[in-house]
Amino acid sequence: MSDTRPPQVLPTRKPTQHLERYSEADVPTARGVLKTIVFRDKRNGREHVALVVGEPEGLDGVPVRIHSECLTSEVFGSLKCDCREQLDRALDFVTQNGLGVVLYLRQEGRGIGLGNKIKAYALQSKGLDTYEANRQLGFADDLRSYDVAAEMLRSLGVQSVDLITNNPLKIAGLVEEGVAVRRRIPSRTEHNPHNVDYLKTKRERTGHLIELFAEDDDTEAKAG
């Protein structure tokens, strides 16, 4: 397991207060009972969900996954990304360890929305990669922000997190919002012929820490 400890940087923004803790209940699932807390964004009515295992309030090093909505993968079973696998593995991790939080944010398609995401898929079928497609539609590479995630973690009383991610921007985003990231837990998934180019592009274009092949594990072992 990798242990990447980002430098502790003081937040550059004031803590946000955009959310109301709207509802919560214990929900029985195939993995066990998940405390499910819905936060509603007062700016736009959008609802985000915290799935909580154990009692993270006041603790350091709480395993946390910040997961953006991916309807195409999680509901329809699309093989063009690894989002469903990442969500499943994060839920497995926190439930098996008896402690952790999965934040499910309504930020489809890196923030561009479902309709534009499907437009981007159409462009990708013509040879563009995921970032080129977004740019042709007039969007930046990634429109997601993590102020909502930080506010949710503060509401839950989490002191610091062990972030389950391959994305260094999530680490930087949380630190910028004032949440201490103690270390990174890699989010390992299996690739397939439909998403391998997408995963390679994320690794090459935006520095995602994705291990695709056996040699990647060997490289990490030698580096570590």
Side-chain angles (χ1 to χ4, degrees):
M1 179 181 293
S2 295
D3 187 347
T4 302
R5 298 179 184 270
Q8 295 302 304
V9 180
L10 293 175
T12 59
R13 300 172 182 159
K14 293 181 180 179
T16 56
Q17 295 181 337
H18 300 314
L19 303 180
E20 63 172 320
R21 195 158 163 165
Y22 185 73
S23 59
E24 57 187 85
D26 291 337
V27 177
T29 75
R31 294 178 174 85
V33 175
L34 298 177
K35 185 176 183 180
T36 302
I37 304 172
V38 176
F39 291 84
R40 181 169 287 180
D41 193 323
K42 292 179 284 189
R43 296 167 296 181
N44 52 30
R46 189 171 294 169
E47 294 178 334
H48 307 279
V49 182
L51 301 170
V52 181
V53 177
E55 298 294 338
E57 184 174 1
L59 297 183
D60 285 302
V62 177
V64 170
R65 165 77 183 165
I66 301 173
H67 188 89
S68 296
E69 178 182 36
C70 183
L71 184 72
T72 52
S73 173
E74 296 155 6
V75 177
F76 303 148
S78 169
L79 298 176
K80 287 182 66 64
C81 63
D82 62 343
C83 298
R84 180 174 180 174
E85 284 187 77
Q86 290 200 67
L87 178 60
D88 285 342
R89 293 202 176 191
L91 288 169
D92 287 342
F93 186 90
V94 298
T95 53
Q96 289 167 10
N97 283 274
L99 176 69
V101 179
V102 174
L103 301 181
Y104 191 85
L105 307 184
R106 310 299 296 277
Q107 300 186 130
E108 181 79 51
R110 295 197 201 95
I112 68 174
L114 179 60
N116 286 314
K117 179 181 180 180
I118 299 302
K119 284 186 177 181
Y121 278 3
L123 292 172
Q124 290 170 40
S125 70
K126 297 177 182 178
L128 300 185
D129 68 32
T130 182
Y131 298 106
E132 292 167 343
N134 279 14
R135 290 170 189 169
Q136 185 158 319
L137 292 171
F139 297 107
D141 290 345
D142 194 335
L143 296 178
R144 292 175 296 182
S145 63
Y146 299 104
D147 57 335
V148 166
E151 188 172 343
M152 292 167 78
L153 291 171
R154 283 192 290 271
S155 176
L156 296 173
V158 173
Q159 296 300 301
S160 69
V161 305
D162 290 354
L163 196 61
I164 305 169
T165 188
N166 298 325
N167 186 353
L169 293 178
K170 287 185 179 178
I171 298 172
L174 276 191
V175 171
E176 185 177 29
E177 296 292 341
V179 176
V181 179
R182 194 178 70 164
R183 68 186 179 105
R184 181 182 75 88
I185 300 173
S187 180
R188 294 190 174 98
T189 61
E190 299 294 330
H191 61 277
N192 66 65
H194 302 282
N195 70 17
V196 66
D197 288 337
Y198 162 80
L199 296 174
K200 286 180 178 178
T201 299
K202 288 208 299 184
R203 185 168 68 173
E204 293 164 3
R205 290 285 192 98
T206 54
H208 277 62
L209 305 169
I210 297 173
E211 300 146 20
L212 293 174
F213 306 107
E215 57 265 29
D216 294 326
D217 291 325
D218 293 340
T219 300
E220 182 181 271
K222 291 175 183 176

